[in-house]
Amino acid sequence: MTLTQKRIIILLVICIAAAVLGRLAVRAFMNLLLGGTLFGGNFL
């Protein structure tokens, strides 16, 4: 595997992780505004 292939794979992994964490951050922020629970569970 060449260096450019490793760079492309690392960039893809970072992009996927950023997308997942970004969506979670948006959901957490919206739940703070709306007063809900983060993962859909009902604690009460």
Side-chain angles (χ1 to χ4, degrees), residues 1 3-12 14 17 19 21-27 31-34 37 40:
M1 197 180 319
L3 190 65
T4 53
Q5 283 178 324
K6 284 184 182 178
R7 276 190 189 159
I8 290 171
I9 291 172
I10 290 171
L11 274 175
L12 282 173
I14 289 174
L21 288 175
R23 288 198 57 178
L24 268 178
V26 168
R27 279 187 62 191
N31 272 312
L32 276 175
L33 287 181
L34 299 173
T37 59

